[in-house]
Amino acid sequence: MTTTSQEELFRFLEDRFACAQACTECARACATRASLVDPDGTENQELVRRKGILCAEVCDATCRVLSEQNQVDEATIRIQVEWCRQVCLESAHVFDEHPGAERTAEACRACARACTEFLTTLN
């Protein structure tokens, strides 16, 4: 293995781990945010709750896909990570409109950035 290919492998593994870690943190933040919203609240609160649940589930699934060694092909990983990136960005926009959800919005943006960086590694 050449030095360049070793460096590429290390970068791939580091970016994959960083993405999985960001997904875990985002899932936790979104699940917490969703649990804090009154299920019988306003339409806006219901949107925040639904986005929080969806984002937590997608991030959790993405983390599982990234954690599976060689059991998932690259195309499946790419699709899952891109889906996660999109859901995180959409969720961040919803959380921006909800007072007190700033940290959750930032966790979503951090996860989207990590997904983008990992997707770049795959190219």
Side-chain angles (χ1 to χ4, degrees):
M1 185 177 276
T2 67
T3 303
T4 302
S5 61
Q6 283 180 332
E7 289 172 1
E8 289 171 352
L9 177 62
F10 289 141
R11 178 166 181 228
F12 170 80
L13 293 172
E14 286 174 348
D15 288 350
R16 186 172 178 155
F17 177 75
C19 188
Q21 186 175 18
C23 286
T24 298
E25 291 169 13
C26 186
R28 186 177 303 120
C30 288
T32 300
R33 175 59 42 204
S35 72
L36 296 174
V37 177
D38 181 7
D40 296 323
T42 66
E43 207 173 299
N44 186 3
Q45 289 175 323
E46 178 59 21
L47 177 62
V48 167
R49 193 173 73 74
R50 282 186 287 124
K51 280 293 184 180
I53 292 168
L54 174 65
C55 193
E57 290 176 352
V58 171
C59 286
D60 184 56
T62 303
C63 184
R64 281 194 312 270
V65 165
L66 292 171
S67 299
E68 295 173 359
Q69 302 293 329
N70 302 332
Q71 294 177 3
V72 182
D73 62 40
E74 185 177 323
T76 301
I77 292 172
R78 186 181 305 278
I79 290 166
Q80 182 69 40
V81 172
E82 178 59 35
W83 183 36
C84 184
R85 188 184 76 77
Q86 282 296 110
V87 169
C88 285
L89 291 174
E90 290 171 11
S91 298
H93 291 302
V94 169
F95 296 141
D96 285 339
E97 302 299 317
H98 189 73
E102 296 83 7
R103 286 182 143 174
T104 306
E106 183 49 42
C108 289
R109 285 190 179 84
C111 186
R113 280 190 301 274
C115 287
T116 300
E117 290 170 10
F118 181 65
L119 287 168
T120 301
T121 303
L122 290 176
N123 291 334

